[in-house]
Structures are given as structure tokens and as C-alpha cells.
Amino acid sequence: MDGIVELQRQLIDYTASLFHEGFLDEQFNQLQQLEDENNPGFVVEVVTLFFEDADRLLNELTKALGQPSVDFKSLDAHVHQLKGSSSSIGAHRIHRVCISFRNSCEEQNVEGCLKNLQQVKHEYSLVKDRLETLFRMEQQILNAGGSVRR
Amino acid sequence: MIVMANNKISALIVDDDSIIRKIHKTMLERLFNIEAETVKDGKEAVELCRSGANFDIIFMDREMPIMDGAEATKQLRAMGVKSTIVGITTRAGGEDREEFLAAGSNHCFEKPLDRAKVEVVLREHKKFTI
């Protein structure tokens, strides 16, 4: 029993640190509130969809910026998508970079866009790593017979 | 405690992003017991309503590839659709909001939709008492 309590404490601390460091925001809490016995794994499901979507969009953005003549309209449309989906799961830092990225697109600033793309990729790999760790911790607790939600 | 005055509230979610459609649909069903249909573009929303579908509330995203939210709102109002239309925009600036309200929407919120925003909309709806 002690083991589970300790794991749960670690999970709470880890989750708090993700909010504190700005990786996640209130929207992530809202997602967690939608999870219950009838809808277990909802957060993992949605975040996984986000990862798949983000992978695709980052590929598209990389390709678009590699073209001899950059199609800023198409670039902006992809960034808009990433901005929307990252904000809907509470991936705060990615969302913030996307706001900058959209400005670079509007200014048709290739240098700026390239920099923003690097930033997005960096933030994405950080938050992906953090969330995967979070889910692993949750799974450990569940496997040990504990619960992860209030 | 949320209580339904008459029957269930029906909603339509219009957004080109599948993750957002999924989240909003789950939120409406799980937190408010609202049955929500989803479509991925303003044009589909217009066609759905034109074919006779009726919704109490329509959550309309702003930026969509084929027909955007403001245009779809205009067309729905022109068709005589009386549903509560909630515009949802990603931009903090006032232009989107003005455009949406001018097109005939009842509300305009910044993405993402959350519990508090939905409660604001529902408080104004006659079928619903909080």
C-alpha cells in the first residue's frame, strides 16, 4: 500500500512541475476532468492523437520551408492547425511558439519561420517526453492496483 | 446541480481539427449531458441545417478551409436558423469577434472551449437551468 501512495505522491509532484515549468496549462486539467470509469484513458487517447497530428504537421512544415519558393499561405494553415490542437490539449509552450510562428508567416519572413520551426520541434520533443513519462507513471500506479484520479 | 428543464439540448460542433472535435464533443456529453454532432467545415454545417437538421446550439470554429465560421454563420442566419451560435476563434484580437457577431452569432469566445464558457452559453438558453 505504501508503494502506491509513494508513486501517487511522485505523480502529483511531477504533474505540478509540468505546470510550473509551463509545459502544461489549465486546459490539460480540463481534459483530465473528462476522464472517468466510463471514459478511462481519454487523456492518453487525445494526447496520442495530438502526437500523431503534430508529427504530420511538423513534416509538412519542414517540407514547405524547404521549397525554393515558400508558400506562406499553406505554411500558415499548418501552423494554425498545430496552434489550435496544442492549445486544446494544454501544451502551452508549443502554443506560444505557434503564435510567433504565425506572425513570421504573416510577415513572410523565411528566417523567422525557420527559427520558429526549430523552436516548435524543440518544445514538441520536450513536452512529448514529459507526457510519456507522466503516462508511464500513471500506468505504474494502475498496474499496482492504485487509482490516478480524484 | 445542473437540471434539464425540458428535453436534452442538442449541439453541433463545427471545426476542421479532429482533436478539437473529439475534445469538445466529450466535454459537452460528459459535463453537460449534451448530445453533440460534429462536422469538419462551415459548408457541411450549412448543408446539414439546410437538409432539415435542427440544433439548439452550434459551436462554430472561425478558420476552416472551405467555408469559414463567419460566412457559415451568415448563411445560417439568412436561411432562418434560430439556433444559438457560438463563434470560437483562435485570435485574441477583436476583429474576429466583431466579424462573428456582425454575421449573427450570439457569442464569441477564444479557443479552447471550456466548462466556464459553455456555462455562460447555457445560462442564456431557455431549456436549461443551473
Side-chain angles (χ1 to χ4, degrees), chain A residues 27 30-31 33-36 39 42 45-46 49-50 53 76 80-81 83-85 87-89 102 106, chain B residues 16-20 22-24 26-28 30-31 61 63-64 90-91 110-116:
Chain A
Q27 186 60 17
Q30 300 256 346
L31 283 193
Q33 285 174 32
L34 297 180
E35 212 166 63
D36 65 4
N39 215 355
F42 175 68
E45 205 188 325
V46 169
L49 281 177
F50 170 72
D53 208 49
D76 185 65
H80 162 69
Q81 267 196 283
K83 179 165 166 266
S85 56
S87 89
S88 73
I89 68 151
R102 283 202 93 181
E106 251 170 80
Chain B
D16 58 330
D17 187 316
S18 62
I19 295 171
I20 290 179
K22 186 178 175 72
I23 294 175
H24 289 177
T26 303
M27 177 181 51
L28 291 175
R30 175 80 187 87
L31 300 182
D61 183 29
E63 290 183 57
M64 292 178 283
T90 56
R91 286 192 236 255
E110 201 178 319
K111 233 176 217 180
L113 195 62
D114 59 28
R115 180 200 281 261

Coordinates of all heavy atoms in Angstrom, one line a residue, chain A residues 27 30-31 33-36 39 42 45-46 49-50 53 76 80-81 83-85 87-89 102 106, chain B residues 16-20 22-24 26-28 30-31 61 63-64 90-91 110-116:
Chain A
Q27 N -5.9 23.9 -19.5 CA -6.7 23.1 -20.4 C -6.4 21.6 -20.2 O -7.3 20.8 -20.4 CB -6.3 23.5 -21.9 CG -7.1 22.8 -22.9 CD -8.6 23.1 -22.8 OE1 -9.1 24.0 -22.2 NE2 -9.4 22.3 -23.5
Q30 N -8.6 20.4 -17.6 CA -10.0 20.2 -18.1 C -10.1 18.9 -18.8 O -11.1 18.2 -18.7 CB -10.3 21.3 -19.2 CG -10.2 22.7 -18.6 CD -11.6 23.3 -18.3 OE1 -12.6 22.9 -18.8 NE2 -11.6 24.4 -17.6
L31 N -9.1 18.5 -19.5 CA -9.1 17.2 -20.2 C -9.2 16.0 -19.2 O -9.9 15.1 -19.3 CB -7.8 16.9 -21.0 CG -7.7 17.6 -22.3 CD1 -6.5 17.0 -23.1 CD2 -8.9 17.5 -23.2
Q33 N -10.4 16.1 -16.3 CA -11.8 16.1 -15.7 C -12.8 15.3 -16.5 O -13.8 15.0 -16.1 CB -12.3 17.5 -15.4 CG -11.6 18.2 -14.2 CD -12.0 19.6 -14.1 OE1 -13.1 20.0 -14.5 NE2 -11.1 20.4 -13.6
L34 N -12.4 15.1 -17.8 CA -13.4 14.4 -18.7 C -13.2 12.9 -18.6 O -13.9 12.1 -19.2 CB -13.2 14.9 -20.1 CG -13.5 16.3 -20.4 CD1 -13.3 16.7 -21.9 CD2 -14.9 16.7 -20.0
E35 N -12.2 12.5 -17.8 CA -11.9 11.1 -17.7 C -12.7 10.5 -16.5 O -12.8 11.1 -15.5 CB -10.4 10.9 -17.5 CG -9.8 9.6 -18.0 CD -8.3 9.7 -18.1 OE1 -7.7 9.8 -17.0 OE2 -7.8 9.6 -19.2
D36 N -13.3 9.3 -16.7 CA -13.9 8.6 -15.6 C -14.0 7.1 -15.9 O -13.4 6.7 -16.9 CB -15.3 9.2 -15.3 CG -16.2 9.0 -16.4 OD1 -15.9 8.3 -17.4 OD2 -17.4 9.5 -16.3
N39 N -15.0 6.5 -19.2 CA -14.2 7.1 -20.2 C -12.7 7.0 -19.8 O -12.0 8.0 -19.8 CB -14.6 8.6 -20.4 CG -14.5 9.0 -21.8 OD1 -14.0 8.3 -22.7 ND2 -14.9 10.3 -22.1
F42 N -9.0 8.5 -21.6 CA -9.3 9.6 -22.6 C -8.2 10.5 -22.8 O -7.9 10.9 -24.0 CB -10.5 10.4 -22.0 CG -10.9 11.6 -22.8 CD1 -11.5 11.4 -24.1 CD2 -10.7 12.9 -22.3 CE1 -11.8 12.5 -24.9 CE2 -11.1 14.0 -23.1 CZ -11.6 13.8 -24.4
E45 N -5.6 8.9 -25.0 CA -6.1 8.8 -26.3 C -5.9 10.1 -27.1 O -5.4 10.2 -28.2 CB -7.6 8.5 -26.2 CG -8.1 7.7 -27.5 CD -9.6 7.6 -27.4 OE1 -10.1 7.4 -26.2 OE2 -10.3 7.7 -28.4
V46 N -6.4 11.2 -26.4 CA -6.4 12.5 -27.1 C -4.9 13.0 -27.3 O -4.6 13.5 -28.4 CB -7.1 13.6 -26.2 CG1 -6.9 15.0 -26.8 CG2 -8.6 13.3 -26.3
L49 N -3.4 11.2 -30.2 CA -3.9 11.8 -31.4 C -3.1 13.0 -31.8 O -2.7 13.3 -32.9 CB -5.4 12.2 -31.3 CG -6.4 11.0 -31.5 CD1 -7.8 11.6 -31.3 CD2 -6.3 10.4 -32.8
F50 N -2.9 13.8 -30.7 CA -2.1 15.1 -30.9 C -0.7 14.8 -31.4 O -0.2 15.5 -32.3 CB -2.1 15.9 -29.6 CG -1.1 17.0 -29.6 CD1 -1.4 18.1 -30.4 CD2 0.1 17.0 -28.9 CE1 -0.5 19.2 -30.5 CE2 1.0 18.0 -29.0 CZ 0.7 19.1 -29.8
D53 N -0.8 13.8 -35.0 CA -1.1 15.0 -35.8 C 0.1 16.0 -35.9 O 0.4 16.5 -36.9 CB -2.3 15.7 -35.1 CG -3.1 16.5 -36.1 OD1 -3.5 15.9 -37.1 OD2 -3.4 17.7 -35.8
D76 N 1.1 28.9 -43.1 CA 0.3 29.4 -42.1 C -0.9 28.5 -41.7 O -1.2 28.4 -40.5 CB -0.3 30.8 -42.6 CG -1.1 31.5 -41.5 OD1 -0.5 31.9 -40.4 OD2 -2.3 31.7 -41.6
H80 N -1.5 27.1 -38.0 CA -2.8 27.4 -37.4 C -3.3 26.1 -36.8 O -3.9 26.1 -35.7 CB -3.8 28.0 -38.4 CG -5.2 27.9 -38.0 ND1 -5.7 28.6 -37.0 CD2 -6.2 27.1 -38.5 CE1 -7.0 28.3 -36.9 NE2 -7.3 27.4 -37.8
Q81 N -3.2 25.0 -37.6 CA -3.7 23.7 -37.1 C -3.0 23.3 -35.8 O -3.6 22.9 -34.8 CB -3.5 22.7 -38.1 CG -4.7 22.5 -39.0 CD -4.6 21.1 -39.8 OE1 -3.8 21.0 -40.7 NE2 -5.3 20.1 -39.3
K83 N -1.3 25.2 -33.8 CA -1.7 26.1 -32.7 C -3.0 25.7 -32.0 O -3.1 25.7 -30.8 CB -1.8 27.5 -33.3 CG -2.1 28.6 -32.3 CD -1.8 30.0 -32.9 CE -2.4 31.1 -32.1 NZ -3.8 31.5 -32.6
G84 N -4.0 25.4 -32.8 CA -5.3 25.0 -32.3 C -5.2 23.8 -31.5 O -5.7 23.7 -30.4
S85 N -4.6 22.7 -32.1 CA -4.6 21.4 -31.4 C -3.7 21.5 -30.1 O -4.1 20.9 -29.1 CB -4.2 20.3 -32.3 OG -3.0 20.5 -32.9
S87 N -3.2 24.0 -28.2 CA -3.9 24.8 -27.1 C -5.1 23.9 -26.6 O -5.4 24.0 -25.4 CB -4.4 26.1 -27.6 OG -5.7 26.0 -28.1
S88 N -5.6 23.1 -27.4 CA -6.8 22.3 -26.9 C -6.3 21.2 -26.0 O -7.2 20.6 -25.2 CB -7.6 21.7 -28.1 OG -6.8 20.6 -28.7
I89 N -5.1 20.7 -26.0 CA -4.6 19.7 -25.0 C -3.8 20.4 -23.9 O -3.4 19.7 -23.0 CB -3.8 18.6 -25.6 CG1 -2.4 19.1 -26.1 CG2 -4.6 17.9 -26.7 CD1 -1.4 18.0 -26.1
R102 N 3.1 32.2 -36.5 CA 2.1 32.8 -37.4 C 2.4 34.2 -37.8 O 2.2 34.6 -38.9 CB 0.7 32.7 -36.7 CG 0.0 31.3 -36.8 CD -1.4 31.4 -36.6 NE -2.1 31.5 -37.9 CZ -3.4 31.5 -38.1 NH1 -4.2 31.6 -37.0 NH2 -3.9 31.5 -39.3
E106 N 2.9 35.7 -41.5 CA 2.3 36.9 -42.0 C 3.2 37.9 -42.6 O 3.0 38.6 -43.5 CB 1.5 37.6 -40.8 CG 0.0 37.4 -40.9 CD -0.7 37.9 -39.7 OE1 -0.9 39.1 -39.5 OE2 -1.1 37.0 -38.9
Chain B
D16 N -12.5 22.2 -38.1 CA -11.7 21.3 -39.1 C -10.7 20.4 -38.4 O -10.1 19.6 -39.0 CB -11.1 22.2 -40.1 CG -10.1 23.2 -39.6 OD1 -10.4 23.7 -38.4 OD2 -9.1 23.6 -40.2
D17 N -10.5 20.6 -37.1 CA -9.5 19.9 -36.4 C -10.2 18.7 -35.6 O -11.0 18.9 -34.8 CB -8.8 20.8 -35.4 CG -7.6 20.1 -34.7 OD1 -7.7 18.9 -34.3 OD2 -6.5 20.7 -34.6
S18 N -9.7 17.5 -36.0 CA -10.4 16.3 -35.4 C -10.1 16.1 -33.9 O -11.0 15.6 -33.2 CB -9.9 15.0 -36.1 OG -8.5 14.8 -35.9
I19 N -9.0 16.6 -33.4 CA -8.7 16.5 -32.0 C -9.7 17.4 -31.2 O -10.3 17.1 -30.2 CB -7.3 16.9 -31.7 CG1 -6.3 15.9 -32.3 CG2 -7.0 17.0 -30.2 CD1 -4.9 16.3 -32.2
I20 N -9.9 18.6 -31.7 CA -10.8 19.6 -31.1 C -12.2 19.1 -31.1 O -12.9 19.2 -30.2 CB -10.6 21.0 -31.7 CG1 -9.2 21.5 -31.3 CG2 -11.7 21.9 -31.3 CD1 -8.9 22.8 -31.9
K22 N -13.2 16.1 -31.1 CA -13.3 15.0 -30.1 C -13.4 15.5 -28.7 O -14.2 15.1 -27.9 CB -12.1 14.0 -30.2 CG -12.1 12.8 -29.4 CD -10.9 12.0 -29.6 CE -10.9 10.8 -28.7 NZ -11.9 9.7 -29.0
I23 N -12.5 16.5 -28.4 CA -12.5 17.0 -27.0 C -13.8 17.8 -26.7 O -14.4 17.6 -25.7 CB -11.3 18.0 -26.8 CG1 -9.9 17.2 -26.9 CG2 -11.4 18.7 -25.5 CD1 -8.7 18.1 -26.9
H24 N -14.2 18.6 -27.6 CA -15.4 19.4 -27.4 C -16.6 18.5 -27.2 O -17.5 18.7 -26.4 CB -15.6 20.4 -28.5 CG -14.6 21.5 -28.4 ND1 -14.6 22.6 -29.3 CD2 -13.7 21.8 -27.5 CE1 -13.6 23.4 -29.0 NE2 -13.0 23.0 -27.9
T26 N -16.7 15.3 -26.3 CA -16.6 14.6 -25.0 C -17.0 15.6 -23.8 O -17.7 15.2 -22.9 CB -15.2 14.0 -24.8 OG1 -14.9 13.2 -25.9 CG2 -15.2 13.2 -23.5
M27 N -16.5 16.8 -23.9 CA -16.8 17.7 -22.8 C -18.3 18.0 -22.7 O -18.9 18.0 -21.7 CB -16.1 19.1 -23.1 CG -16.4 20.1 -22.0 SD -15.6 21.7 -22.2 CE -16.0 22.1 -23.9
L28 N -18.9 18.2 -23.9 CA -20.4 18.5 -23.8 C -21.2 17.3 -23.3 O -22.1 17.5 -22.5 CB -20.9 18.9 -25.2 CG -20.4 20.2 -25.8 CD1 -20.9 20.4 -27.2 CD2 -20.9 21.4 -24.9
R30 N -20.0 14.7 -21.5 CA -19.6 14.2 -20.1 C -20.0 15.2 -19.1 O -20.4 14.9 -18.0 CB -18.0 14.1 -20.2 CG -17.4 13.7 -19.0 CD -17.4 12.3 -18.6 NE -16.8 12.2 -17.2 CZ -17.5 12.4 -16.1 NH1 -18.8 12.6 -16.2 NH2 -16.9 12.4 -15.0
L31 N -19.8 16.5 -19.3 CA -20.0 17.6 -18.3 C -21.4 18.1 -18.3 O -21.9 18.6 -17.3 CB -19.0 18.7 -18.4 CG -17.5 18.4 -18.3 CD1 -16.7 19.7 -18.4 CD2 -17.2 17.8 -17.0
D61 N -16.3 27.1 -35.3 CA -14.9 27.5 -35.4 C -14.8 28.6 -36.4 O -15.6 28.7 -37.3 CB -14.0 26.3 -35.8 CG -12.5 26.6 -35.8 OD1 -12.1 27.5 -35.1 OD2 -11.8 26.0 -36.6
E63 N -11.7 29.7 -38.4 CA -10.9 29.4 -39.6 C -11.1 27.9 -40.0 O -10.7 27.0 -39.3 CB -9.4 29.6 -39.3 CG -9.1 31.1 -39.1 CD -7.6 31.4 -38.9 OE1 -6.8 30.9 -39.8 OE2 -7.3 31.9 -37.9
M64 N -11.7 27.8 -41.2 CA -11.9 26.5 -41.8 C -11.6 26.6 -43.3 O -11.9 27.6 -43.9 CB -13.3 25.9 -41.5 CG -13.5 25.6 -40.0 SD -15.2 25.1 -39.6 CE -16.1 26.6 -39.7
T90 N -9.3 31.7 -32.7 CA -8.0 31.5 -32.1 C -7.3 32.8 -31.9 O -6.3 32.8 -31.2 CB -7.1 30.6 -33.0 OG1 -7.0 31.2 -34.3 CG2 -7.6 29.2 -33.1
R91 N -7.9 33.8 -32.4 CA -7.2 35.1 -32.3 C -7.7 36.0 -31.2 O -8.9 36.1 -31.0 CB -7.3 35.9 -33.6 CG -6.4 35.3 -34.7 CD -6.3 36.3 -35.8 NE -6.7 35.7 -37.1 CZ -5.9 35.3 -38.0 NH1 -4.6 35.5 -37.9 NH2 -6.4 34.8 -39.1
E110 N -12.7 32.8 -27.2 CA -11.4 32.4 -27.7 C -11.2 30.9 -27.4 O -11.7 30.4 -26.4 CB -10.3 33.2 -27.0 CG -9.0 33.2 -27.7 CD -7.9 34.1 -27.0 OE1 -8.3 35.1 -26.5 OE2 -6.8 33.6 -26.9
K111 N -10.6 30.2 -28.4 CA -10.3 28.8 -28.2 C -9.3 28.7 -27.0 O -8.4 29.5 -26.8 CB -9.6 28.3 -29.4 CG -10.2 27.1 -30.0 CD -9.4 26.7 -31.3 CE -10.4 26.2 -32.3 NZ -9.8 25.9 -33.6
P112 N -9.3 27.6 -26.2 CA -10.3 26.5 -26.4 C -11.6 26.7 -25.6 O -11.6 27.5 -24.7 CB -9.5 25.3 -25.8 CG -8.6 25.9 -24.7 CD -8.3 27.3 -25.2
L113 N -12.6 26.0 -26.0 CA -13.8 26.0 -25.3 C -13.6 25.3 -24.0 O -12.9 24.2 -24.0 CB -14.8 25.2 -26.2 CG -16.3 25.4 -25.9 CD1 -16.8 26.8 -26.1 CD2 -17.1 24.4 -26.8
D114 N -14.1 25.8 -22.9 CA -14.0 25.1 -21.7 C -15.3 25.2 -20.9 O -16.3 25.8 -21.4 CB -12.9 25.6 -20.8 CG -13.0 27.1 -20.5 OD1 -14.2 27.6 -20.4 OD2 -12.0 27.8 -20.3
R115 N -15.3 24.5 -19.7 CA -16.6 24.4 -19.0 C -17.2 25.8 -18.7 O -18.4 25.9 -18.9 CB -16.2 23.7 -17.6 CG -17.4 23.5 -16.7 CD -16.9 23.3 -15.3 NE -16.5 22.0 -15.1 CZ -17.2 21.0 -14.5 NH1 -18.5 21.3 -14.1 NH2 -16.8 19.8 -14.3
A116 N -16.4 26.7 -18.3 CA -17.0 28.0 -17.9 C -17.6 28.7 -19.1 O -18.7 29.3 -18.9 CB -15.8 28.9 -17.3

